């Protein structure tokens, strides 16, 4: 009987030992350590806005909207009552699917402190209840030409100088809206307006530190008080409804089913000025579902978003040369993962490390197979044009990340901390304070600004990426009137 007793004692002793820490099989990294590193990255990457910073954000946004009002007044091309989509993060952060190889490199901390993308409709087709059928005969999947025959004679007359002209055998002339010509017009118009504004600077007005045309987008960096804000302004064509080419996607089951309504998801889409690999740059636009992605983001757990942001920071640095993978590819993979995996698994708060490792594995799998389907139009492979050499080069780079994810996370943390230190140093030196802060008048007049700043801080943090409807009075472009969804101010 002694032996069994000894056996039981030994068994109890074994069970009393603390469990072995959970390890990542591939790298040997402790999952608990990876979770802590992701939390540290998130802490440094997502900074709190104080009242002063919130007011500076508002001042910059107000300036951009006033500038667009003056652009509209210049030649009446832009719609008077327009609807912009404001997104947190610049184009380089993958908030829209636009090629990054034509963009100048800007770095947070060195060039700017905060970045935004603003989609500005040059044309709107907003009165259609049926699925929108686009002219895709001449272009690759996810791309389209746009004929102005869809519009009235007044619109054609306004925009014909921004079109390519195709004459048919029957003698008819077709005007195709040109993304490159529209971008040229937009940049020239903005430059004229900014030149006029700077001739009569006003107290509290942002300082325009940089205006550059990057491919088909216009990048503006504003200095406001102690902040520098990057606005990537993208001229787009705006549609209400849903494109016929993506109609089958609605028939599938998705992770957002039951969480948000289909009406919210398919309320509208855009054509953005981006061309396919072999397409005609002067004619071809790319379908963008940025408005839908803002809604879908509401259904993604915070732990998965933290993993996505950390993974994005790693790949932006690692896979920058040659430019083949953008953060938008990673975003698409995350949306596919949300459809593939159980919601209760993705909702686990302490699984950020698992999600990070999974995103790296997914990205490597996509590269090795040269296959990354567009989330909304799955038949469109966003990696199809890449060479075997390029995909294997990036896959090998990702293999090094997968072998030591903790070290790459530490590097990402150091980069974001360095960017924050640069921002703080520039604030201390007052490098952007040549234009007075909007709160610098002193006295009791600051009281209303404080209240406004607090409200704006709440709006900025609670409503990133919301649709902003703007009515510009062409006779008083200094006062834009806008709302964020149903909130007016």
């Amino acid at each position: 009987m002694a032996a069994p007793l000894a056996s039981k004692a030994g068994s109890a002793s074994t069970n009393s030992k603390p469990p072995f820490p959970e390890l990542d099989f591939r790298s040997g990294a402790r999952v608990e350590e990876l979770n802590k590193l992701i939390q540290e990255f998130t802490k440094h990457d997502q900074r709190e806005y104080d009242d002063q910073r919130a007011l500076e954000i508002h001042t910059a946004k107000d300036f951009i909207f006033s500038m667009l009002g003056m652009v509209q007044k210049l030649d009446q091309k832009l719609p008077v009552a327009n609807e912009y989509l404001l997104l947190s993060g610049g184009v380089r952060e993958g908030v829209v699917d636009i090629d990054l190889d034509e963009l100048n490199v800007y770095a947070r901390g060195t060039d700017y402190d905060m970045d935004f993308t603003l989609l500005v409709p040059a044309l709107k087709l907003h009165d259609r209840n049926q699925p929108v059928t686009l002219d895709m005969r001449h272009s690759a999947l996810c791309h389209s030409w746009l004929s102005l025959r869809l519009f009235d004679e007044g619109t054609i007359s306004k925009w014909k100088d921004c079109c390519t002209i195709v004459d048919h055998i029957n003698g008819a002339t077709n005007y195709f809206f040109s993304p490159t010509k529209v971008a040229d017009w937009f940049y020239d118009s903005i430059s004229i307006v900014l030149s006029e504004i700077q001739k009569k600077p006003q107290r509290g007005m942002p300082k325009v530190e940089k205006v550059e045309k990057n491919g088909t987008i216009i990048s503006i960096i504003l200095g406001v008080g102690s902040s520098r804000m990057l606005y990537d302004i993208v001229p787009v064509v705006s549609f209400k409804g849903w494109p016929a080419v993506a109609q089958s996607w609605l028939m599938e089951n998705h992770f957002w089913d039951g969480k948000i309504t289909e009406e919210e998801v398919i309320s509208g889409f855009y054509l953005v000025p981006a061309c396919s690999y072999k397409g005609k740059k002067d004619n071809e636009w790319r379908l963008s579902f940025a408005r839908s992605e803002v809604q879908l983001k509401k259904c993604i757990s915070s732990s998965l978003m933290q993993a996505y942001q950390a993974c994005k920071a790693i790949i932006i640095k690692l896979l920058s040369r040659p430019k083949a993978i953008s953060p938008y590819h990673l975003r698409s993979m995350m949306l596919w993962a949300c459809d593939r995996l159980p919601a209760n698994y993705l909702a686990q708060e302490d699984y950020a490390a698992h999600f990070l490792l999974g995103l790296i594995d997914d990205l490597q799998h996509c590269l090795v197979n040269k296959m990354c389907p567009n989330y909304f139009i799955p038949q469109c492979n966003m990696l199809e044009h890449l060479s075997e050499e390029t995909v294997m080069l990036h896959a090998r780079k990702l293999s090094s990340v997968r072998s030591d994810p903790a070290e790459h996370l530490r590097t990402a943390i150091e980069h974001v901390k360095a960017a924050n230190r640069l921002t703080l140093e520039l604030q201390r030196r007052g490098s952007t304070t040549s234009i007075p802060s909007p709160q610098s008048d002193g006295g009791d007049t600051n009281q209303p600004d404080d209240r406004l700043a607090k409200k704006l801080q709440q709006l900025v943090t609670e409503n990133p990426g919301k649709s902003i409807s703007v009515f510009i009075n062409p006779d008083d472009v200094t006062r834009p009137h806008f709302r964020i969804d149903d909130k007016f101010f």
Side-chain angles (χ1 to χ4, degrees):
M1 296 293 293
L5 287 172
S7 175
K8 285 179 182 178
S11 174
S13 173
T14 302
N15 291 338
S16 66
K17 290 181 180 178
F20 201 78
E22 187 179 3
L23 301 180
D24 169 37
F25 186 91
R26 173 69 188 90
S27 65
R30 294 178 59 150
V31 170
E32 182 183 7
E33 181 190 9
L34 294 178
N35 275 326
K36 288 180 178 177
L37 288 169
I38 293 170
Q39 289 171 8
E40 185 179 356
F41 173 83
T42 302
K43 180 183 71 174
H44 294 292
D45 189 52
Q46 298 178 353
R47 296 162 295 165
E48 292 291 327
Y49 295 146
D50 58 16
D51 290 350
Q52 177 69 21
R53 182 61 61 88
L55 188 57
E56 289 167 354
I57 290 171
H58 169 69
T59 301
K61 186 161 53 178
D62 203 38
F63 179 84
I64 292 292
F65 287 166
S66 295
M67 177 199 74
L68 291 172
M70 295 179 73
V71 169
Q72 192 282 332
K73 191 178 180 182
L74 205 60
D75 55 14
Q76 307 294 314
K77 274 187 163 73
L78 293 181
V80 173
N82 216 347
E83 188 175 4
Y84 308 149
L85 184 68
L86 180 65
L87 303 167
S88 300
V91 168
R92 294 157 193 80
E93 293 293 313
V95 296
V96 286
D97 184 16
I98 289 183
D99 308 313
L100 304 183
D101 54 351
E102 294 184 341
L103 307 186
N104 293 339
V105 177
Y106 299 151
R108 196 175 108 180
T110 304
D111 300 296
Y112 64 90
D113 308 311
M114 286 166 288
D115 51 335
F116 303 93
T117 298
L118 188 64
L119 305 189
V120 179
L123 289 175
K124 299 191 298 181
L125 276 170
H126 276 196
D127 52 351
R128 299 195 165 203
N129 296 320
Q130 298 299 317
V132 181
T133 302
L134 298 167
D135 186 355
M136 297 180 166
R137 294 169 299 171
H138 315 285
S139 53
L141 270 169
C142 276
H143 297 80
S144 178
W145 291 22
L146 183 68
S147 170
L148 287 195
R149 284 193 297 189
L150 296 171
F151 299 87
D152 56 66
E153 287 299 325
T155 301
I156 295 173
S157 177
K158 279 183 188 178
W159 285 106
K160 64 169 56 176
D161 57 335
C162 289
C163 293
T164 58
I165 301 172
V166 177
D167 292 321
H168 291 282
I169 298 174
N170 61 9
T173 299
N174 203 347
Y175 294 95
F176 286 101
F177 206 42
S178 169
T180 52
K181 291 185 178 183
V182 170
D184 289 341
W185 163 83
F186 206 23
Y187 175 70
D188 291 342
S189 299
I190 286 175
S191 298
I192 290 169
V193 165
L194 289 178
S195 176
E196 288 300 313
I197 290 174
Q198 288 170 318
K199 288 177 182 176
K200 300 176 182 177
Q202 298 177 4
R203 182 174 177 79
M205 188 178 76
K207 177 184 177 184
V208 180
E209 298 192 350
K210 187 174 291 185
V211 183
E212 289 186 335
K213 184 169 175 289
N214 285 280
T216 52
I217 70 169
I218 293 87
S219 299
I220 300 176
I221 297 179
L222 300 176
V224 190
S226 59
S227 304
R228 296 161 301 159
M229 291 168 221
L230 166 64
Y231 268 84
D232 283 329
I233 302 178
V234 186
V236 299
V237 181
S238 172
F239 294 84
K240 280 283 169 65
W242 199 246
V245 69
Q247 201 69 21
S248 61
W249 177 80
L250 295 175
M251 305 298 110
E252 306 293 333
N253 294 324
H254 298 290
F255 71 98
W256 47 268
D257 292 336
K259 297 176 182 176
I260 52 177
T261 66
E262 185 174 286
E263 287 72 23
E264 289 176 288
V265 174
I266 65 170
S267 62
F269 69 100
Y270 299 97
L271 296 181
V272 297
C275 182
S276 63
Y277 179 63
K278 293 183 178 179
K280 190 174 179 181
K281 284 190 174 185
D282 287 345
N283 281 22
E284 198 169 82
W285 299 78
R286 181 171 297 160
L287 274 74
S288 169
F289 301 89
R291 185 185 292 276
S292 302
E293 289 164 4
V294 168
Q295 300 299 325
L296 299 186
K297 188 178 176 182
K298 299 174 184 176
C299 305
I300 299 176
S301 69
S302 59
S303 50
L304 178 55
M305 283 304 301
Q306 289 174 9
Y308 163 74
Q309 295 292 349
C311 189
K312 183 172 71 170
I314 292 170
I315 70 164
I316 282 178
K317 298 290 184 186
L318 187 75
L319 307 184
S320 60
R321 292 287 185 274
K323 282 203 168 65
I325 295 294
S326 83
Y328 189 81
H329 293 106
L330 186 66
R331 176 186 287 225
S332 300
M333 293 169 203
M334 177 176 65
L335 292 173
W336 281 118
C338 290
D339 273 358
R340 184 177 70 241
L341 297 164
N344 56 355
Y345 168 74
L346 293 174
Q348 297 297 313
E349 292 184 2
D350 57 349
Y351 273 34
H354 296 84
F355 302 152
L356 172 70
L357 298 173
L359 287 170
I360 296 170
D361 288 341
D362 259 9
L363 185 53
Q364 193 167 20
H365 175 82
C366 288
L367 282 166
V368 169
N369 291 280
K370 211 168 75 169
M371 172 63 72
C372 179
N374 181 284
Y375 181 66
F376 299 92
I377 306 177
Q379 59 270 36
C380 172
N381 175 14
M382 296 190 292
L383 299 184
E384 185 177 27
H385 64 280
L386 297 181
S387 69
E388 297 294 334
E389 293 80 9
T390 297
V391 294
M392 290 312 297
L393 171 65
H394 285 319
R396 283 194 293 271
K397 289 180 179 179
L398 277 177
S399 179
S400 70
V401 177
R402 196 61 185 80
S403 299
D404 195 354
E407 183 58 32
H408 284 84
L409 276 171
R410 292 188 193 98
T411 301
I413 290 167
E414 287 308 311
H415 280 145
V416 73
K417 286 168 71 173
N420 291 341
R421 282 196 299 269
L422 272 172
T423 294
L424 291 172
E425 179 60 28
L426 286 169
Q427 287 174 355
R428 278 196 294 267
R429 294 201 319 235
S431 64
T432 60
T433 54
S434 56
I435 298 298
S437 163
Q439 281 187 311
S440 64
D441 290 338
D444 293 337
T445 55
N446 278 340
Q447 296 288 335
D449 279 351
D450 287 340
R451 289 195 297 273
L452 174 63
K454 287 174 182 175
K455 182 175 182 180
L456 286 167
Q457 180 183 1
Q458 183 180 359
L459 288 172
V460 167
T461 54
E462 291 182 359
N463 301 290
K466 288 296 182 68
S467 172
I468 298 182
S469 300
V470 184
F471 178 77
I472 302 292
N473 179 357
D475 298 320
D476 183 11
V477 296
T478 63
R479 298 182 61 198
H481 308 280
F482 61 96
R483 73 181 185 192
I484 299 182
D485 283 355
D486 57 348
K487 298 184 181 73
F488 289 82
F489 62 112

